[in-house]
């Protein structure tokens, strides 16, 4: 059974992938923890230190909270704008041997054995070829083929390498 679909990545899709990558790793959690710490320090020292110092703690906390998402959004928008490959639709064929991605006359294959992991998020299906590189498949564009893709992934990949709910 082959599953075929076309996708066109948008800056929003790339942004969601980047947010997932960041906030499931150390860097994202670290920025949230630092922000919470700065807000707690601002609250505990309020009235004991100058108002300027309390304001500085709050502003630094806000900076740590919003810097990462804003940076990721701008980077996602830039990456889609400058990449000739990402501007055009990608055709996916998923079958017994793995994933085949094609665009115009170019084609690439990713056998099941080389898939690092497959993750289904609320908005994307991420097919990782390594720890940081993934094919981003927007669920909205995948449509009703999500369940078939999840079943095929569960059949072909070891349990620890797939995180998709059917």
């Amino acid at each position: 059974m082959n599953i075929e679909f076309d996708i066109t990545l948008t800056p929003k899709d790339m942004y969601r992938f980047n947010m997932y990558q960041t906030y499931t790793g150390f860097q994202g959690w670290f920025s949230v923890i630092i922000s919470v710490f700065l807000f707690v320090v601002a609250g505990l020292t309020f009235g004991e230190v100058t108002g300027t110092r309390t304001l500085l703690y709050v502003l630094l906390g806000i900076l740590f909270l919003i810097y990462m998402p804003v940076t990721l959004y701008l980077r996602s928008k830039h990456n889609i704008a400058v990449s000739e490959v990402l501007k055009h639709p990608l055709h996916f064929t998923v079958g017994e041997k793995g994933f085949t991605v094609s665009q115009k006359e170019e084609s690439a294959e990713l056998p099941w054995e080389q898939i690092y992991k497959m993750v289904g998020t609320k908005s994307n299906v991420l097919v990782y070829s390594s720890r940081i590189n993934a094919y981003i498949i927007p669920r909205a564009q995948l449509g009703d083929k999500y369940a078939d893709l999840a079943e095929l992934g569960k059949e072909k990949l070891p349990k620890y390498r797939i995180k998709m709910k059917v």
Side-chain angles (χ1 to χ4, degrees), residues 5 7 92 99 123-125 127 135-139 142 149:
F5 51 91
I7 64 115
F92 283 80
F99 281 75
S123 53
N124 292 324
V125 173
V127 182
Y135 289 117
I136 305 166
I137 304 169
R139 282 182 71 165
L142 188 57
L149 184 60

Side-chain angles (χ1 to χ4, degrees), residues 50-112:
T50 63
T52 306
R53 185 167 285 181
T54 302
L55 181 62
L56 181 63
Y57 292 146
V58 171
L59 290 176
L60 283 173
I62 291 170
L63 179 68
F64 270 97
L65 271 183
I66 65 169
Y67 172 77
M68 191 62 65
V70 169
T71 302
L72 292 175
Y73 176 75
L74 294 174
R75 186 183 314 157
S76 299
K77 200 171 178 179
H78 175 75
N79 286 347
I80 295 292
V82 300
S83 173
E84 285 302 315
V85 173
L86 298 178
K87 285 181 184 176
H88 304 288
L90 295 168
H91 180 75
F92 283 80
T93 304
V94 185
E96 293 297 315
K97 293 183 178 182
F99 281 75
T100 303
V101 183
S102 56
Q103 185 180 62
K104 298 179 183 172
E105 59 277 340
E106 300 293 323
S107 179
E109 292 187 20
L110 181 64
W112 288 109

Side-chain angles (χ1 to χ4, degrees), residues 34-49 53-54 57-58:
I34 292 294
S35 295
V36 169
F37 175 75
L38 287 166
F39 291 137
V40 168
V41 168
L44 292 175
T45 61
F46 183 75
E48 295 176 18
V49 296
R53 185 167 285 181
T54 302
Y57 292 146
V58 171

Side-chain angles (χ1 to χ4, degrees), residues 8-35:
T8 303
L9 281 180
T10 65
K12 187 176 183 178
D13 300 321
M14 183 69 79
Y15 173 69
R16 287 178 173 162
F17 167 70
N18 286 330
M19 287 289 285
Y20 176 82
Q21 278 287 96
T22 300
Y23 285 98
T24 56
F26 176 76
Q27 183 179 5
W29 284 105
F30 183 73
S31 68
V32 170
I33 290 168
I34 292 294
S35 295

Side-chain angles (χ1 to χ4, degrees), residues 20 115 117-122 124-128 135 137 139 146 157 161-165:
Y20 176 82
I115 293 177
K117 69 179 174 178
M118 261 177 84
V119 178
T121 68
K122 183 176 81 170
N124 292 324
V125 173
L126 307 172
V127 182
Y128 285 87
Y135 289 117
I137 304 169
R139 282 182 71 165
Y146 174 81
L157 293 173
R161 291 195 316 178
I162 185 160
K163 294 177 185 171
M164 293 179 71
K165 295 180 182 173

